[in-house]
Amino acid sequence: MLAQGREQDIGDDSSLRRWKLHGSHAYGPANAVHLTVATFLEFCKSEVPQECAFGLAQLALLYALINNTAFALYKIADPGTISLIKSSITLVTALLTRFTLRAKLAKLQWIAILIQICGMTVTQYRPGSGSSYPLYTYLLLFFQVFLSAISGVYNQSLYKNYGVSLHAANMFLYGSGAGINMMLHTVIRLLKADEPSLFSGYGSLEAKMLILNNVFVGLAITAVYKYADAVIKCFATAVSTGVLLYISPVFFNVDFSFMLVPGTVLVFVATWLYMEAAPLNKGKAKLDRGTPPLKASKLRSLRKRYPQAILAIGIVLTTVIVSILTLSDARMPGLKQTKISQDSKHGSNVEESVQVLNSPFKNSLAYVRWASHRPERMPLLRKYAPFFHDLHFSMPGYVKDRPAGFINLTHDSYESPDVLFYNPLAETMQLILQAPAGNPEAEINGIMNFHFDTWIDPLDFAGENLNLIWQAISSNPRSECMKSLARYPDYWGWGPKHRLHDQGQKAVKALASMDLGYNVDVDEWCVGWSDIYFIPRRFFADFIYLSNIFAAYQVFHEVAVPTIIHIIDRTRRAHPSRSVVNHIGDCYGSCCSAGAHLHDVLDKRCGHRLDYMNAMVIDATYERLDREAAMLGSNIEGAPWAMQTMYESVGGGNSLDEGKLKFLKGQLGKLQAKGDTKKDEGLDAVQPA
């Protein structure tokens, strides 16, 4: 009687209408005290029909695939771009609801959807390229969009057509999702040896807050599907788009395009327009709970007849796709992969750095200069190719079928009067700066200049600051900036026959007269070794301007290059104590050194001169390049504590391990007792602090 009376009170509420007598138990408030696990499960089963339960399991498969696709996308694209591309889900969802659920949208709403797509396109536009990521990234993005649209429409259909309880349906949905993801995790662990364990990474507060956030998001979305529709949910996603697009340049080092502003404005205006044009605003008092059934009746009958088979096929396909996505090493530039391992001694999680071995010059150009026509050396110099974005060979007579002065990104035939080697280098920089966005040349972040008879060990420059100018220094000529020859009287170029400083001073005075904003001392010039130096992209324009002036006055490169670098340093310092030049002092030799010995090549990361007639030295130099090139792309793994001293604990900070010190002294005492060490009175005086 109580249950029947309760049914009369609840009216049309489909969830409470399912409260009824079942066996000897009454599922009503008066009998809630008798609720057991068995009756609770029976209640859940009665709340969710079998067909709906299989539908929720299939929906959980879709969500597993969508989420794992999202994890793959966050490795290769920034969150703002992902969120914006996903805003196109509105159009896809609207089309699906129109042709599967027979939902009708006002004309103004379709216009709003198209405006939103236009806003997305404008925001992604990059002048000269039209896109900011490779094609496969966008294919994966739109694949996820399509899956998300299907899942949204399917979710709406399940909740509205079956009138199930939100809470019971959520239990089936997320319970199925937990089981499916546990299965996927087990498969991935078998395929990928370094896959983290189930609870790895959950120790941080950020991870716990992310889980809590997703819980509330999931509950809110299911309510939207039941009481509103999938298109409304899609438009709500656009609210976060603008925020992410403006945050991404700050936290993810993504370029801020001026097209973001009008694009996001269009997206938000379209969202407002859609909501204003909704039928509910035209006097519709109640939400339509009676959404028509799926139009594709044949597909639905097939799903009703073979639910287990369809679910099994979906599990296999999802497992295959997720495995491929997880095993892929594609990664957005600038992001570092990490993994979590457990410190067995301390029982704590330790984050390990998992980096791929890359050349520090992978985005830099190698500019190799010959003073004479020696093409037979080129095959050996090409061994530097794996370490650089590109190689540029500058050699007299190199290009036979081109006019004098021809130059492109990879070669020129510059005939250098008075060894003005810096002039074609500046022209190469200009080509790079003029390259349209999206072209490979636009990726180049600097130029490493060296002569063909010098050597560098590219991997030994890892960790150097690529935003600074690097200049190798030596004793001949030594690096000096001066206002009088008395500071460096021994340099050969100051003599009456050459007087190289005269032209340098003329160039400096000409620069000062042009008032280009450079910090110049008209009485000062510099000299230095100019066979090995690196110019970062941010100083290309300065180098181009200054080299044109110094080349016009025919300034010798050992005067011109050090003076140009000195002027850039004086002008571009953020603070008087912060130089923009890194003077590399560990290179072997000088401008005029004899051929290096084998130990010089093996011990030094750079140097001059390579004697190409010395087969042992040449073989050692280029065989090292071959070995290092073969290692590129391999993983480098190391935990933070691997580089700590005995005075640093795993958890960080400086603390002396008293137990370790006591053990050490005890072992030394035993060795002294055996006579293995000489008694040292000073040792006894050492006591733990």
Side-chain angles (χ1 to χ4, degrees):
M1 292 294 294
L2 178 61
Q4 294 173 354
R6 182 61 176 171
E7 286 181 3
Q8 293 175 358
D9 293 338
I10 61 177
D12 293 333
D13 192 302
S14 59
S15 297
L16 294 178
R17 190 167 58 245
R18 296 181 183 276
W19 286 37
K20 59 184 179 179
L21 290 173
H22 183 82
S24 60
H25 299 278
Y27 300 151
N31 300 87
V33 69
H34 300 298
L35 187 65
T36 64
V37 174
T39 55
F40 177 73
L41 293 177
E42 290 176 7
F43 167 75
C44 292
K45 289 173 63 177
S46 67
E47 278 289 311
V48 183
Q50 184 178 15
E51 183 182 350
C52 182
F54 274 105
L56 291 170
Q58 293 161 9
L59 188 61
L61 274 175
L62 280 174
Y63 283 144
L65 187 54
I66 291 167
N67 291 333
N68 281 276
T69 305
F71 297 148
L73 284 171
Y74 282 121
K75 295 193 297 183
I76 59 177
D78 65 279
T81 299
I82 293 172
S83 182
L84 189 65
I85 295 294
K86 286 178 67 176
S87 66
S88 65
I89 192 178
T90 309
L91 176 61
V92 181
T93 302
L95 292 172
L96 285 174
T97 54
R98 176 67 184 88
F99 291 106
T100 60
L101 300 182
R102 298 175 185 169
K104 292 183 179 181
L105 297 178
K107 291 182 180 180
L108 197 56
Q109 289 180 307
W110 286 109
I111 294 174
I113 292 172
L114 293 177
I115 292 176
Q116 189 188 54
I117 298 299
C118 292
M120 178 195 70
T121 304
V122 168
T123 310
Q124 278 295 288
Y125 175 69
R126 300 291 187 273
S129 64
S131 65
S132 57
Y133 289 109
L135 177 61
Y136 69 83
T137 302
Y138 289 99
L139 291 176
L140 191 58
L141 278 165
F142 284 108
F143 173 67
Q144 194 203 36
V145 165
F146 184 68
L147 289 178
S148 299
I150 292 177
S151 67
V153 175
Y154 193 22
N155 203 334
Q156 174 184 330
S157 173
L158 290 174
Y159 278 98
K160 289 197 170 184
N161 288 340
Y162 292 99
V164 295
S165 163
L166 279 179
H167 307 299
N170 280 335
M171 290 176 58
F172 270 86
L173 176 62
Y174 295 115
S176 301
I180 289 167
N181 281 282
M182 178 68 75
M183 177 203 67
L184 292 174
H185 173 71
T186 304
V187 172
I188 297 301
R189 288 273 287 182
L190 294 174
L191 297 176
K192 190 178 180 184
D194 60 348
E195 175 73 5
S197 59
L198 182 61
F199 293 106
S200 293
Y202 287 92
S204 66
L205 177 63
E206 292 84 355
K208 295 182 177 69
M209 293 303 295
L210 183 61
I211 295 171
L212 185 63
N213 176 71
N214 285 337
V215 168
F216 288 111
V217 169
L219 294 175
I221 287 176
T222 53
V224 171
Y225 284 135
K226 184 174 179 65
Y227 298 115
D229 58 54
V231 180
I232 296 292
K233 178 262 177 185
C234 294
F235 264 97
T237 304
V239 174
S240 62
T241 298
V243 177
L244 285 174
L245 282 170
Y246 294 115
I247 288 178
S248 290
V250 178
F251 293 99
F252 298 95
N253 197 29
V254 178
D255 292 336
F256 186 90
S257 170
F258 72 95
M259 301 300 289
L260 287 179
V261 176
T264 52
V265 168
L266 284 176
V267 170
F268 288 121
V269 168
T271 304
W272 171 80
L273 187 63
Y274 182 91
M275 300 303 296
E276 283 292 306
L280 288 176
N281 292 334
K282 297 182 178 182
K284 190 172 182 180
K286 293 180 62 179
L287 288 164
D288 184 5
R289 297 178 183 270
T291 303
L294 290 172
K295 186 176 181 180
S297 57
K298 293 183 178 179
L299 181 62
R300 185 176 182 183
S301 64
L302 186 65
R303 181 168 59 84
K304 292 177 65 175
R305 292 178 60 186
Y306 307 105
Q308 295 92 340
I310 293 175
L311 185 62
I313 294 172
I315 290 174
V316 173
L317 290 176
T318 302
T319 304
V320 171
I321 296 173
V322 170
S323 300
I324 293 173
L325 292 174
T326 305
L327 296 175
S328 172
D329 288 330
R331 200 160 288 280
M332 183 172 75
L335 295 183
K336 181 168 64 176
Q337 183 183 4
T338 58
K339 71 177 185 179
I340 304 296
S341 64
Q342 191 174 62
D343 176 20
S344 58
K345 180 178 178 181
H346 295 267
S348 61
N349 287 334
V350 179
E351 186 180 87
E352 297 184 6
S353 173
V354 182
Q355 292 178 295
V356 174
L357 179 64
N358 289 315
S359 168
F361 300 110
K362 65 180 181 178
N363 290 324
S364 302
L365 179 76
Y367 186 95
V368 187
R369 174 64 191 171
W370 280 260
S372 59
H373 188 68
R374 303 299 297 268
E376 68 276 9
R377 309 298 190 203
M378 287 187 176
L380 289 175
L381 271 299
R382 292 190 191 281
K383 292 181 181 288
Y384 281 104
F387 303 94
F388 289 88
H389 185 283
D390 274 306
L391 302 181
H392 181 107
F393 289 164
S394 179
M395 177 191 295
Y398 178 31
V399 186
K400 301 293 186 182
D401 56 347
R402 297 285 185 173
F406 172 79
I407 186 171
N408 65 13
L409 185 70
T410 58
H411 54 272
D412 68 72
S413 297
Y414 190 77
E415 300 285 348
S416 176
D418 297 325
V419 285
L420 306 180
F421 297 145
Y422 53 91
N423 199 35
L425 176 63
E427 293 183 31
T428 306
M429 292 178 181
Q430 188 170 348
L431 289 175
I432 294 170
L433 292 181
Q434 292 173 345
N439 283 21
E441 293 90 339
E443 301 173 356
I444 295 175
N445 62 10
I447 293 183
M448 186 70 176
N449 174 88
F450 57 98
H451 288 194
F452 84 98
D453 58 352
T454 63
W455 79 86
I456 65 169
D457 181 2
L459 296 188
D460 212 357
F461 284 85
E464 295 286 356
N465 190 342
L466 290 171
N467 289 314
L468 299 180
I469 297 172
W470 306 347
Q471 184 181 18
I473 58 176
S474 72
S475 60
N476 186 20
R478 72 172 189 252
S479 293
E480 292 283 355
C481 291
M482 63 199 77
K483 298 181 180 180
S484 169
L485 297 179
R487 186 175 178 87
Y488 186 14
D490 300 332
Y491 182 60
W492 64 270
W494 306 151
K497 182 179 179 181
H498 302 289
R499 295 193 61 83
L500 301 178
H501 58 291
D502 288 346
Q503 296 305 109
Q505 284 185 301
K506 290 179 182 178
V508 171
K509 290 177 180 179
L511 171 63
S513 69
M514 295 178 189
D515 194 21
L516 297 176
Y518 288 99
N519 186 349
V520 180
D521 186 334
V522 295
D523 297 320
E524 186 179 43
W525 75 93
C526 304
V527 66
W529 189 29
S530 303
D531 288 349
I532 304 173
Y533 56 92
F534 175 83
I535 307 294
R537 184 189 183 99
R538 68 180 181 134
F539 297 127
F540 279 7
D542 290 325
F543 195 93
I544 293 168
Y545 300 144
L546 298 176
S547 67
N548 273 275
I549 296 173
F550 280 78
Y553 284 89
Q554 301 284 293
V555 183
F556 184 63
H557 73 111
E558 288 185 350
V559 175
V561 172
T563 307
I564 289 172
I565 291 175
H566 179 63
I567 292 172
I568 294 174
D569 188 26
R570 286 173 58 108
T571 305
R572 302 306 178 196
R573 288 189 182 207
H575 187 272
S577 65
R578 299 290 179 90
S579 175
V580 300
V581 180
N582 177 19
H583 292 102
I584 305 222
D586 59 346
C587 290
Y588 168 83
S590 63
C591 74
C592 313
S593 298
H597 297 289
L598 179 62
H599 64 85
D600 298 322
V601 171
L602 297 179
D603 292 345
K604 301 290 186 179
R605 60 177 174 170
C606 49
H608 177 268
R609 180 181 63 95
L610 281 178
D611 181 0
Y612 278 84
M613 303 305 293
N614 188 331
M616 181 181 297
V617 170
I618 297 301
D619 290 346
T621 301
Y622 291 105
E623 284 175 4
R624 174 172 59 190
L625 290 179
D626 289 336
R627 289 194 305 272
E628 292 181 351
M631 292 188 289
L632 293 175
S634 59
N635 286 344
I636 307 173
E637 300 185 8
W641 47 261
M643 299 302 294
Q644 290 176 332
T645 68
M646 65 177 289
Y647 299 102
E648 296 176 315
S649 65
V650 174
N654 296 324
S655 60
L656 181 65
D657 189 334
E658 300 288 354
K660 183 180 290 186
L661 183 60
K662 183 177 180 181
F663 171 79
L664 183 149
K665 287 182 173 295
Q667 294 300 309
L668 287 175
K670 293 179 181 179
L671 293 174
Q672 288 175 349
K674 293 180 180 179
D676 290 343
T677 65
K678 184 178 179 180
K679 181 71 172 179
D680 187 348
E681 295 180 357
L683 184 65
D684 292 335
V686 178
Q687 298 295 330

